[in-house]
Amino acid sequence: MTPLRRWWAPSHPAQLLLGLTLWSLWFVALYGGLSVACALAPARPGQGALTVINGGLALLTLATLGLLGWLAWRGLRAGRVSVGGSRFIALTGAGLHLFSAAGVAFVGLPIVALPPCL
C-alpha cells in the first residue's frame, strides 16, 4: 500500500468521515466533561464565566478547532494538486472539516462565554 493511500492522507475516503467524527467526539467530551465537572466541583454562584471549568472547555474547543482547521487546510492543498477522484475526496473532505469546525465554533463559543453549571 502506498503512503498516499493511508487513512490519514488527504485524498483517502476516510477524510469524508473524519471531520464529523471529530466533531461528535468533541461534543460528547464537552458536555460529558461539563456534567462531570459540575457534579464534582461546581463553580460558585456569581463567579461568572471565568472559571477553571470554562478554561478547560475553551482549551478543548481551541484544540479541536486547530485540528479541524489544519485538516481542512491540508485537504485544500492536496485538492489543488490532485486529479480525478482524489481531488474530489480531498476537497470534499476539506469542506466537511470546515463545516465541522464551524459547528465547534457555533456550539463552543457560547459554552465558554456563559457561566458553567447553570
Side-chain angles (χ1 to χ4, degrees):
M1 185 177 281
T2 65
L4 186 62
R5 297 305 299 172
R6 292 189 181 133
W7 69 271
W8 61 81
S11 60
H12 192 278
Q15 296 300 314
L16 300 176
L17 297 174
L18 185 61
L20 298 172
T21 302
L22 288 173
W23 175 84
S24 65
L25 291 172
W26 167 82
F27 192 83
V28 169
L30 182 82
Y31 281 106
L34 179 64
S35 298
V36 169
C38 287
L40 296 178
R44 292 188 316 268
Q47 190 174 3
L50 296 175
T51 63
V52 174
I53 296 171
N54 276 7
L57 297 176
L59 287 176
L60 177 65
T61 299
L62 288 174
T64 306
L65 279 172
L67 177 61
L68 288 168
W70 177 74
L71 288 169
W73 173 78
R74 197 175 65 127
L76 288 172
R77 260 185 48 170
R80 279 187 260 162
V81 297
S82 301
V83 293
S86 295
R87 179 184 171 119
F88 174 78
I89 289 174
L91 292 176
T92 304
L96 289 170
H97 294 316
L98 285 174
F99 181 76
S100 299
V104 167
F106 184 76
V107 174
L109 289 176
I111 290 295
V112 299
L114 296 172
C117 312
L118 291 177

XYZ file of all heavy atoms in Angstrom:
863
model
N 0.850 -1.180 0.000
C 0.000 0.000 0.000
C 0.894 1.240 0.000
O 1.818 1.340 0.779
C -0.899 -0.015 1.234
C -1.885 1.113 1.249
S -3.009 1.058 2.652
C -4.139 -0.170 2.080
N 0.594 2.190 -0.870
C 1.414 3.397 -0.958
C 1.110 4.322 0.214
O 0.007 4.288 0.785
C 1.127 4.139 -2.277
O -0.215 4.585 -2.252
C 1.380 3.254 -3.481
N 2.074 5.171 0.574
C 1.842 6.086 1.698
C 0.666 7.033 1.468
O 0.010 7.440 2.415
C 3.153 6.863 1.804
C 4.170 6.026 1.126
C 3.445 5.243 0.088
N 0.389 7.388 0.197
C -0.705 8.318 -0.077
C -2.063 7.714 0.242
O -3.006 8.432 0.547
C -0.640 8.750 -1.543
C -1.631 9.822 -1.967
C -1.369 11.104 -1.190
C -1.538 10.070 -3.440
N -2.197 6.415 0.206
C -3.490 5.768 0.436
C -3.737 5.411 1.893
O -4.718 4.762 2.208
C -3.609 4.506 -0.421
C -3.569 4.765 -1.914
C -4.604 5.763 -2.382
N -5.929 5.302 -2.113
C -7.010 6.012 -2.264
N -6.944 7.239 -2.686
N -8.185 5.518 -1.998
N -2.844 5.810 2.786
C -3.118 5.578 4.197
C -4.312 6.419 4.621
O -4.586 7.468 4.059
C -1.892 5.923 5.028
C -0.769 4.963 4.770
C 0.336 5.196 5.752
N 1.418 4.273 5.453
C 2.675 4.617 5.384
N 3.046 5.852 5.626
N 3.590 3.731 5.094
N -4.976 6.014 5.664
C -6.234 6.655 6.031
C -6.083 8.113 6.413
O -7.033 8.873 6.359
C -6.941 5.872 7.134
C -6.244 5.931 8.459
C -5.281 5.097 8.912
C -6.458 6.886 9.487
N -4.875 5.476 10.153
C -5.581 6.568 10.537
C -7.299 7.980 9.630
C -5.525 7.304 11.705
C -7.245 8.712 10.799
C -6.368 8.365 11.812
N -4.927 8.553 6.799
C -4.775 9.960 7.185
C -4.387 10.845 6.004
O -4.297 12.053 6.148
C -3.778 10.114 8.321
C -2.392 9.638 7.999
C -1.439 10.313 7.315
C -1.818 8.381 8.352
N -0.311 9.562 7.211
C -0.512 8.364 7.849
C -2.285 7.273 9.052
C 0.337 7.281 8.009
C -1.432 6.208 9.216
C -0.152 6.209 8.697
N -4.156 10.265 4.844
C -3.843 11.054 3.650
C -5.062 11.892 3.261
O -6.202 11.448 3.396
C -3.446 10.137 2.503
N -4.861 13.112 2.787
C -5.996 13.988 2.452
C -6.916 13.432 1.378
O -8.081 13.800 1.325
C -5.325 15.278 1.955
C -3.934 15.225 2.448
C -3.579 13.781 2.614
N -6.421 12.543 0.528
C -7.266 12.019 -0.542
C -7.850 10.642 -0.226
O -8.455 10.017 -1.090
C -6.463 11.939 -1.842
O -5.348 11.094 -1.669
N -7.703 10.188 1.006
C -8.279 8.903 1.403
C -9.756 9.107 1.754
O -10.120 10.109 2.375
C -7.526 8.327 2.605
C -7.878 6.908 2.879
N -9.002 6.550 3.582
C -7.259 5.754 2.539
C -9.064 5.228 3.671
N -8.020 4.729 3.048
N -10.629 8.177 1.385
C -12.059 8.330 1.679
C -12.391 8.477 3.164
O -13.458 9.001 3.502
C -12.675 7.049 1.107
C -11.742 6.614 0.039
C -10.372 7.022 0.509
N -11.505 8.067 4.046
C -11.761 8.234 5.481
C -11.891 9.703 5.860
O -12.533 10.039 6.870
C -10.651 7.574 6.299
N -11.324 10.604 5.058
C -11.422 12.035 5.344
C -12.860 12.540 5.268
O -13.199 13.551 5.871
C -10.538 12.833 4.383
C -9.070 12.545 4.512
C -8.538 12.866 5.893
O -8.817 13.911 6.457
N -7.774 11.951 6.439
N -13.709 11.815 4.550
C -15.107 12.206 4.438
C -15.856 11.994 5.752
O -16.897 12.614 5.978
C -15.792 11.435 3.309
C -15.186 11.645 1.910
C -15.884 10.754 0.908
C -15.250 13.096 1.511
N -15.350 11.147 6.614
C -15.972 10.893 7.911
C -15.202 11.478 9.086
O -15.763 11.662 10.159
C -16.116 9.380 8.130
C -17.014 8.639 7.167
C -16.950 7.146 7.421
C -18.426 9.138 7.280
N -13.934 11.771 8.889
C -13.069 12.161 9.997
C -13.512 13.457 10.665
O -13.576 13.543 11.890
C -11.621 12.270 9.524
C -10.588 12.563 10.598
C -10.564 11.462 11.646
C -9.219 12.732 9.974
N -13.817 14.485 9.893
C -14.207 15.766 10.477
C -15.468 15.656 11.323
O -15.531 16.179 12.439
N -16.477 14.994 10.790
C -17.729 14.848 11.540
C -17.551 13.945 12.755
O -18.184 14.163 13.793
C -18.820 14.319 10.615
C -19.162 15.250 9.447
C -20.099 14.561 8.475
C -19.755 16.545 9.944
N -16.677 12.958 12.637
C -16.383 12.093 13.787
C -15.670 12.886 14.878
O -15.997 12.759 16.067
C -15.542 10.887 13.353
O -16.257 10.174 12.335
C -15.243 9.970 14.508
N -14.707 13.707 14.488
C -14.023 14.545 15.475
C -14.992 15.513 16.137
O -14.920 15.754 17.341
C -12.873 15.315 14.813
C -11.663 14.492 14.419
C -10.678 15.341 13.616
C -10.989 13.907 15.639
N -15.902 16.086 15.359
C -16.898 16.981 15.935
C -17.761 16.253 16.955
O -18.003 16.765 18.046
C -17.798 17.581 14.852
C -18.885 18.408 15.450
C -18.804 19.713 15.832
C -20.202 17.974 15.792
N -19.992 20.115 16.382
C -20.865 19.070 16.370
C -20.894 16.768 15.669
C -22.180 18.999 16.820
C -22.190 16.700 16.110
C -22.827 17.805 16.678
N -18.214 15.054 16.619
C -19.086 14.329 17.542
C -18.335 13.912 18.804
O -18.888 13.977 19.909
C -19.725 13.119 16.860
O -18.744 12.173 16.498
N -17.077 13.522 18.680
C -16.279 13.195 19.871
C -16.066 14.433 20.736
O -16.137 14.363 21.971
C -14.937 12.586 19.467
C -14.988 11.201 18.842
C -13.611 10.807 18.323
C -15.514 10.187 19.835
N -15.790 15.574 20.098
C -15.639 16.823 20.846
C -16.939 17.156 21.582
O -16.914 17.557 22.746
C -15.269 17.962 19.891
C -15.402 19.309 20.514
C -14.503 19.936 21.322
C -16.516 20.189 20.410
N -14.997 21.157 21.710
C -16.230 21.333 21.158
C -17.744 20.112 19.736
C -17.122 22.397 21.261
C -18.620 21.169 19.840
C -18.307 22.294 20.604
N -18.077 17.012 20.911
C -19.373 17.330 21.503
C -19.639 16.485 22.740
O -20.045 17.001 23.787
C -20.470 17.115 20.453
C -21.806 17.661 20.837
C -22.103 18.987 20.639
C -22.774 16.834 21.386
C -23.337 19.503 20.979
C -24.011 17.328 21.736
C -24.298 18.673 21.537
N -19.385 15.190 22.636
C -19.595 14.286 23.775
C -18.625 14.625 24.905
O -19.011 14.671 26.079
C -19.467 12.811 23.329
C -19.408 11.877 24.513
C -20.614 12.433 22.404
N -17.357 14.878 24.561
C -16.362 15.224 25.591
C -16.703 16.552 26.253
O -16.542 16.703 27.475
C -14.972 15.272 24.973
N -17.176 17.518 25.482
C -17.512 18.827 26.029
C -18.647 18.724 27.033
O -18.518 19.164 28.180
C -17.903 19.786 24.893
C -18.240 21.200 25.327
C -16.960 22.008 25.499
C -19.146 21.859 24.305
N -19.762 18.161 26.629
C -20.911 18.101 27.529
C -20.738 17.045 28.617
O -21.212 17.235 29.734
C -22.202 17.894 26.735
C -22.670 19.177 26.131
C -22.535 19.418 24.779
C -23.195 20.187 26.918
C -22.934 20.609 24.216
C -23.597 21.385 26.381
C -23.473 21.593 25.027
O -23.856 22.783 24.475
N -20.059 15.947 28.306
C -19.769 14.966 29.348
C -18.823 15.527 30.391
O -19.027 15.374 31.597
N -17.772 16.212 29.931
C -16.827 16.837 30.855
C -17.481 17.925 31.683
O -17.203 18.064 32.882
N -18.338 18.715 31.062
C -19.058 19.759 31.789
C -19.951 19.152 32.863
O -19.979 19.629 34.007
C -19.886 20.603 30.819
C -20.716 21.725 31.419
C -19.816 22.766 32.064
C -21.591 22.361 30.347
N -20.643 18.091 32.538
C -21.531 17.449 33.512
C -20.748 16.858 34.670
O -21.135 17.018 35.841
C -22.351 16.347 32.830
O -23.158 16.903 31.832
N -19.649 16.187 34.379
C -18.836 15.595 35.442
C -18.217 16.686 36.311
O -18.217 16.602 37.535
C -17.757 14.665 34.846
C -16.742 14.250 35.886
C -18.411 13.446 34.217
N -17.685 17.728 35.683
C -17.065 18.820 36.438
C -18.087 19.525 37.323
O -17.777 19.877 38.475
C -16.410 19.807 35.495
N -19.284 19.729 36.829
C -20.315 20.387 37.629
C -20.804 19.494 38.768
O -21.215 19.989 39.820
C -21.482 20.816 36.745
S -21.087 22.219 35.696
N -20.761 18.186 38.582
C -21.167 17.274 39.655
C -20.093 17.171 40.739
O -20.410 17.087 41.921
C -21.468 15.896 39.086
N -18.830 17.198 40.336
C -17.742 17.027 41.298
C -17.336 18.331 41.972
O -17.085 18.345 43.185
C -16.526 16.397 40.619
C -16.712 14.986 40.088
C -15.441 14.512 39.388
C -17.075 14.033 41.216
N -17.203 19.396 41.212
C -16.723 20.664 41.765
C -17.404 21.820 41.047
O -16.798 22.479 40.199
C -15.209 20.767 41.621
N -18.664 22.096 41.400
C -19.365 23.169 40.695
C -18.752 24.532 40.998
O -18.183 24.758 42.061
C -20.796 23.073 41.229
C -20.684 22.355 42.523
C -19.488 21.463 42.418
N -18.878 25.430 40.035
C -18.394 26.796 40.218
C -19.299 27.524 41.205
O -20.486 27.218 41.330
C -18.382 27.521 38.883
N -18.719 28.487 41.909
C -19.510 29.270 42.861
C -20.524 30.119 42.103
O -20.216 30.668 41.040
C -18.599 30.183 43.677
C -17.680 29.448 44.607
C -16.925 30.410 45.533
N -16.400 31.605 44.848
C -15.181 31.685 44.330
N -14.356 30.673 44.399
N -14.784 32.818 43.747
N -21.729 30.263 42.655
C -22.712 31.139 42.004
C -22.190 32.577 41.965
O -21.573 33.059 42.897
C -23.948 31.037 42.901
C -23.762 29.778 43.683
C -22.287 29.581 43.820
N -22.429 33.246 40.883
C -21.991 34.620 40.730
C -20.548 34.778 40.299
O -20.052 35.890 40.181
N -19.853 33.679 40.073
C -18.453 33.746 39.662
C -18.311 34.184 38.212
O -17.273 34.688 37.822
C -17.767 32.400 39.879
C -16.275 32.436 39.709
C -15.628 31.110 40.071
O -16.304 30.144 40.395
N -14.322 31.070 40.019
N -19.326 33.991 37.424
C -19.261 34.385 36.023
C -18.656 33.300 35.154
O -18.578 32.128 35.532
N -18.190 33.711 33.993
C -17.676 32.750 33.014
C -16.204 32.436 33.200
O -15.706 31.485 32.609
C -17.911 33.276 31.609
N -15.483 33.218 33.983
C -14.050 32.981 34.177
C -13.820 31.947 35.276
O -13.507 32.271 36.414
C -13.339 34.295 34.514
C -13.364 35.351 33.404
C -12.743 36.630 33.882
C -12.675 34.827 32.162
N -13.986 30.692 34.893
C -13.801 29.588 35.831
C -12.822 28.580 35.251
O -12.510 28.612 34.067
C -15.144 28.875 36.105
O -15.605 28.302 34.888
C -16.198 29.830 36.652
N -12.363 27.690 36.106
C -11.470 26.623 35.651
C -12.204 25.698 34.685
O -11.623 25.230 33.698
C -10.917 25.842 36.866
C -10.112 24.644 36.422
C -10.100 26.755 37.748
N -13.464 25.468 34.949
C -14.264 24.602 34.074
C -14.312 25.196 32.667
O -14.042 24.510 31.668
C -15.686 24.396 34.634
C -15.630 23.652 35.974
C -16.571 23.658 33.643
C -16.952 23.590 36.698
N -14.642 26.471 32.560
C -14.712 27.101 31.242
C -13.339 27.196 30.591
O -13.223 27.133 29.374
C -15.339 28.488 31.344
C -16.847 28.433 31.330
O -17.426 27.359 31.367
N -17.479 29.576 31.282
N -12.289 27.343 31.392
C -10.938 27.351 30.837
C -10.601 26.022 30.178
O -10.036 25.981 29.083
N -10.957 24.931 30.844
C -10.726 23.609 30.262
C -11.542 23.386 29.008
O -11.050 22.836 28.011
N -12.803 23.825 29.041
C -13.657 23.695 27.858
C -13.125 24.544 26.707
O -13.179 24.131 25.545
C -15.096 24.087 28.193
C -15.813 23.221 29.236
C -17.192 23.788 29.525
C -15.899 21.782 28.801
N -12.608 25.723 27.018
C -12.048 26.585 25.983
C -10.807 25.954 25.356
O -10.631 26.003 24.137
C -11.711 27.954 26.561
N -9.954 25.352 26.188
C -8.764 24.679 25.642
C -9.145 23.515 24.741
O -8.559 23.334 23.671
C -7.862 24.208 26.770
C -7.085 25.292 27.505
C -6.310 24.689 28.668
C -6.160 26.015 26.558
N -10.117 22.726 25.169
C -10.592 21.612 24.346
C -11.169 22.125 23.030
O -10.904 21.564 21.959
C -11.633 20.792 25.111
C -12.276 19.634 24.361
C -11.238 18.565 24.037
C -13.416 19.051 25.172
N -11.940 23.197 23.095
C -12.547 23.769 21.896
C -11.484 24.323 20.950
O -11.534 24.084 19.738
C -13.551 24.866 22.293
O -14.570 24.269 23.104
C -14.186 25.510 21.075
N -10.503 25.045 21.487
C -9.446 25.604 20.641
C -8.585 24.510 20.012
O -8.195 24.615 18.843
C -8.579 26.562 21.445
C -9.239 27.891 21.798
C -8.335 28.706 22.717
C -9.585 28.669 20.552
N -8.308 23.456 20.756
C -7.528 22.349 20.207
C -8.293 21.662 19.074
O -7.713 21.332 18.028
C -7.184 21.346 21.307
N -9.585 21.472 19.256
C -10.403 20.844 18.219
C -10.507 21.742 16.996
O -10.406 21.269 15.855
C -11.803 20.505 18.765
O -11.658 19.720 19.951
C -12.621 19.741 17.760
N -10.693 23.047 17.212
C -10.725 23.983 16.088
C -9.402 23.976 15.331
O -9.380 24.012 14.101
C -11.036 25.393 16.584
C -12.485 25.724 16.846
C -12.608 27.095 17.509
C -13.286 25.679 15.577
N -8.302 23.943 16.065
C -6.994 23.906 15.416
C -6.800 22.657 14.581
O -6.309 22.722 13.447
N -7.182 21.515 15.128
C -7.039 20.254 14.396
C -7.910 20.244 13.145
O -7.445 19.889 12.048
C -7.381 19.069 15.296
C -7.352 17.691 14.644
C -5.959 17.375 14.113
C -7.813 16.626 15.635
N -9.163 20.653 13.278
C -10.058 20.668 12.123
C -9.601 21.689 11.081
O -9.685 21.440 9.873
C -11.492 20.949 12.564
C -12.178 19.802 13.300
C -13.473 20.279 13.937
C -12.433 18.639 12.368
N -9.110 22.825 11.528
C -8.585 23.820 10.595
C -7.371 23.308 9.847
O -7.237 23.517 8.630
N -6.475 22.630 10.561
C -5.298 22.060 9.908
C -5.691 20.986 8.900
O -5.150 20.933 7.789
C -4.345 21.486 10.949
C -3.156 20.820 10.351
C -2.082 21.423 9.764
C -2.929 19.415 10.255
N -1.203 20.471 9.315
C -1.695 19.225 9.603
C -3.657 18.297 10.658
C -1.171 17.971 9.353
C -3.131 17.053 10.404
C -1.906 16.887 9.763
N -6.646 20.136 9.251
C -7.107 19.098 8.323
C -7.744 19.714 7.085
O -7.551 19.235 5.958
C -8.088 18.148 9.020
C -7.482 17.192 10.042
C -8.581 16.499 10.840
C -6.586 16.178 9.369
N -8.517 20.788 7.265
C -9.132 21.461 6.117
C -8.063 22.097 5.230
O -8.117 21.973 3.998
C -10.118 22.522 6.599
N -7.090 22.757 5.822
C -6.014 23.383 5.052
C -5.244 22.335 4.255
O -4.934 22.525 3.085
C -5.091 24.133 6.013
C -3.860 24.664 5.368
C -3.746 25.779 4.585
C -2.561 24.082 5.447
N -2.444 25.928 4.186
C -1.689 24.904 4.702
C -2.038 22.963 6.090
C -0.338 24.627 4.568
C -0.696 22.695 5.963
C 0.138 23.516 5.200
N -4.978 21.208 4.911
C -4.253 20.126 4.258
C -5.055 19.554 3.085
O -4.507 19.262 2.021
C -3.976 19.036 5.298
C -2.923 18.066 4.933
C -2.701 17.152 6.107
N -3.909 16.371 6.346
C -3.929 15.046 6.440
N -2.820 14.372 6.350
N -5.048 14.408 6.651
N -6.364 19.413 3.259
C -7.215 18.913 2.188
C -7.301 19.883 1.019
O -7.298 19.478 -0.145
N -7.373 21.176 1.311
C -7.402 22.170 0.233
C -6.094 22.169 -0.549
O -6.100 22.279 -1.775
C -7.674 23.560 0.805
C -9.094 23.799 1.308
C -9.185 25.139 2.028
C -10.079 23.728 0.167
N -4.982 22.054 0.152
C -3.681 21.989 -0.531
C -3.586 20.754 -1.416
O -3.116 20.815 -2.541
C -2.552 21.964 0.496
C -1.912 23.281 0.677
C -0.753 23.216 1.592
N 0.161 22.117 1.254
C 1.344 21.958 1.782
N 1.762 22.798 2.687
N 2.115 20.963 1.445
N -4.032 19.619 -0.894
C -3.978 18.376 -1.668
C -4.946 18.430 -2.849
O -4.662 17.870 -3.907
C -4.299 17.185 -0.779
N -6.073 19.105 -2.688
C -7.044 19.210 -3.775
C -6.546 20.019 -4.948
O -6.990 19.834 -6.073
N -5.614 20.932 -4.702
C -5.072 21.739 -5.793
C -4.134 20.950 -6.691
O -3.994 21.270 -7.858
C -4.323 22.945 -5.235
C -5.264 24.059 -4.860
C -4.494 25.276 -4.469
N -4.495 25.282 -3.011
C -3.686 25.965 -2.253
N -2.758 26.698 -2.785
N -3.782 25.913 -0.942
N -3.478 19.939 -6.145
C -2.502 19.189 -6.943
C -3.024 17.829 -7.386
O -2.428 17.200 -8.254
C -1.170 19.006 -6.165
C -0.543 20.355 -5.896
C -1.382 18.229 -4.893
N -4.127 17.371 -6.828
C -4.678 16.062 -7.190
C -5.531 16.173 -8.439
O -5.935 17.252 -8.856
C -5.538 15.511 -6.045
O -4.785 15.377 -4.875
N -5.843 15.019 -9.011
C -6.714 14.960 -10.181
C -7.762 13.879 -9.950
O -7.554 12.939 -9.191
C -5.928 14.661 -11.481
C -5.020 15.820 -11.838
C -5.137 13.388 -11.362
N -8.893 14.018 -10.612
C -9.925 12.987 -10.599
C -10.565 12.776 -9.249
O -10.905 13.724 -8.536
N -10.746 11.509 -8.891
C -11.402 11.145 -7.646
C -10.637 11.589 -6.408
O -11.230 11.930 -5.392
N -9.316 11.598 -6.479
C -8.514 12.051 -5.349
C -8.776 13.519 -5.057
O -8.841 13.931 -3.903
C -7.026 11.840 -5.629
O -6.735 10.474 -5.742
N -8.918 14.311 -6.100
C -9.206 15.738 -5.924
C -10.573 15.932 -5.291
O -10.737 16.739 -4.375
C -9.132 16.435 -7.275
C -9.450 17.899 -7.191
C -9.460 18.533 -8.573
N -9.960 19.870 -8.480
C -9.261 20.931 -8.809
N -8.043 20.806 -9.276
N -9.784 22.124 -8.693
N -11.568 15.187 -5.762
C -12.917 15.290 -5.203
C -12.918 14.949 -3.721
O -13.506 15.669 -2.915
C -13.877 14.363 -5.960
C -15.238 14.303 -5.343
C -16.138 15.329 -5.551
C -15.606 13.230 -4.550
C -17.397 15.284 -4.965
C -16.863 13.177 -3.961
C -17.757 14.209 -4.178
N -12.269 13.862 -3.352
C -12.249 13.443 -1.952
C -11.509 14.462 -1.102
O -11.967 14.819 -0.009
C -11.653 12.035 -1.815
C -12.637 11.009 -2.384
C -11.333 11.717 -0.358
C -12.124 9.607 -2.431
N -10.377 14.962 -1.577
C -9.605 15.927 -0.794
C -10.402 17.211 -0.576
O -10.447 17.739 0.544
C -8.280 16.228 -1.492
N -11.036 17.724 -1.617
C -11.788 18.974 -1.484
C -13.081 18.793 -0.692
O -13.461 19.656 0.101
C -12.076 19.564 -2.863
C -10.845 20.068 -3.617
C -11.226 20.546 -5.013
C -10.129 21.150 -2.846
N -13.753 17.672 -0.897
C -14.975 17.409 -0.132
C -14.633 17.183 1.339
O -15.334 17.681 2.231
C -15.725 16.196 -0.704
O -15.987 16.431 -2.082
C -17.033 15.966 0.028
N -13.564 16.448 1.601
C -13.117 16.259 2.983
C -12.755 17.577 3.635
O -13.095 17.827 4.804
N -12.090 18.465 2.893
C -11.741 19.785 3.429
C -13.004 20.581 3.755
O -13.078 21.245 4.800
C -10.877 20.542 2.430
N -13.995 20.499 2.885
C -15.260 21.180 3.159
C -15.954 20.632 4.392
O -16.509 21.391 5.198
N -15.919 19.333 4.562
C -16.535 18.731 5.748
C -15.763 19.084 7.018
O -16.362 19.271 8.080
C -16.628 17.218 5.576
C -17.662 16.756 4.554
C -17.518 15.274 4.258
C -19.063 17.076 5.033
N -14.449 19.202 6.913
C -13.655 19.644 8.070
C -14.016 21.086 8.434
O -14.156 21.416 9.616
C -12.161 19.528 7.783
C -11.675 18.131 7.598
N -12.046 17.079 8.407
C -10.826 17.599 6.698
C -11.457 15.969 8.010
N -10.713 16.262 6.965
N -14.178 21.937 7.424
C -14.578 23.322 7.689
C -15.982 23.393 8.282
O -16.247 24.186 9.189
C -14.506 24.144 6.404
C -13.120 24.536 5.933
C -13.189 25.221 4.581
C -12.441 25.427 6.952
N -16.889 22.581 7.767
C -18.246 22.519 8.308
C -18.225 22.081 9.766
O -18.930 22.649 10.616
C -19.083 21.553 7.462
C -20.504 21.425 7.910
C -21.421 22.425 7.636
C -20.925 20.304 8.599
C -22.740 22.316 8.052
C -22.235 20.176 9.017
C -23.141 21.189 8.738
N -17.396 21.091 10.080
C -17.272 20.617 11.463
C -16.655 21.682 12.352
O -17.068 21.858 13.504
C -16.434 19.345 11.509
O -17.040 18.322 10.756
N -15.660 22.418 11.835
C -15.048 23.498 12.607
C -16.067 24.601 12.896
O -16.085 25.167 13.997
C -13.846 24.065 11.855
N -16.929 24.892 11.930
C -17.985 25.881 12.167
C -18.941 25.398 13.251
O -19.385 26.192 14.089
C -18.742 26.161 10.869
N -19.248 24.110 13.267
C -20.092 23.553 14.324
C -19.441 23.643 15.686
O -20.087 23.956 16.685
N -18.140 23.398 15.746
C -17.410 23.518 17.011
C -17.449 24.965 17.492
O -17.706 25.245 18.667
C -15.954 23.021 16.855
C -15.102 23.413 18.037
C -15.932 21.509 16.667
N -17.205 25.909 16.604
C -17.217 27.318 16.987
C -18.618 27.762 17.407
O -18.778 28.466 18.402
C -16.711 28.179 15.834
N -19.627 27.331 16.662
C -21.008 27.737 16.946
C -21.474 27.224 18.308
O -22.159 27.927 19.042
C -21.933 27.230 15.836
C -23.351 27.680 15.977
C -23.712 28.978 15.664
C -24.329 26.805 16.419
C -25.017 29.403 15.784
C -25.641 27.214 16.544
C -25.992 28.529 16.227
N -21.112 26.010 18.660
C -21.524 25.437 19.941
C -20.548 25.825 21.050
O -20.948 26.069 22.183
C -21.644 23.894 19.835
C -21.926 23.271 21.179
C -22.725 23.515 18.844
N -19.263 25.897 20.729
C -18.248 26.111 21.760
C -18.179 27.516 22.301
O -17.918 27.717 23.492
N -18.387 28.525 21.466
C -18.265 29.900 21.949
C -19.291 30.254 23.021
O -18.929 30.843 24.033
C -18.324 30.874 20.775
C -17.082 30.866 19.877
C -17.272 31.798 18.695
C -15.839 31.217 20.653
N -20.568 29.926 22.862
C -21.500 30.220 23.959
C -21.192 29.415 25.232
O -21.386 29.916 26.333
C -22.863 29.823 23.403
C -22.705 29.829 21.942
C -21.283 29.472 21.665
N -20.699 28.202 25.075
C -20.399 27.388 26.256
C -19.322 28.050 27.102
O -19.420 28.089 28.323
C -19.955 25.968 25.822
C -21.133 25.193 25.252
C -19.332 25.201 26.976
C -22.219 24.895 26.236
N -18.289 28.580 26.472
C -17.202 29.186 27.244
C -17.501 30.631 27.630
O -16.804 31.195 28.468
C -15.846 29.080 26.502
C -15.473 27.640 26.286
C -15.871 29.833 25.207
N -18.534 31.244 27.046
C -18.873 32.619 27.392
C -19.907 32.702 28.515
O -20.055 33.752 29.139
C -19.397 33.355 26.158
N -20.621 31.620 28.763
C -21.641 31.604 29.820
C -21.085 30.942 31.073
O -20.201 30.103 31.005
C -22.867 30.824 29.339
C -23.625 31.411 28.157
C -24.690 30.434 27.677
C -24.255 32.729 28.551
N -21.623 31.277 32.236
C -21.181 30.600 33.455
C -21.535 29.112 33.388
O -22.598 28.736 32.900
C -21.971 31.273 34.570
C -22.533 32.518 33.971
C -22.589 32.327 32.502
N -20.643 28.247 33.859
C -20.942 26.803 33.841
C -21.937 26.443 34.936
O -22.182 27.222 35.855
C -19.579 26.159 34.100
C -18.853 27.171 34.916
C -19.320 28.509 34.410
N -22.488 25.276 34.833
C -23.332 24.682 35.874
C -24.572 25.522 36.159
O -24.952 25.710 37.317
C -22.543 24.457 37.159
S -20.959 23.666 36.936
N -25.201 26.061 35.136
C -26.418 26.840 35.343
C -27.560 25.978 35.781
O -27.757 24.902 35.432
C -26.798 27.590 34.080
C -25.857 28.713 33.693
C -26.309 29.332 32.377
C -25.847 29.792 34.755
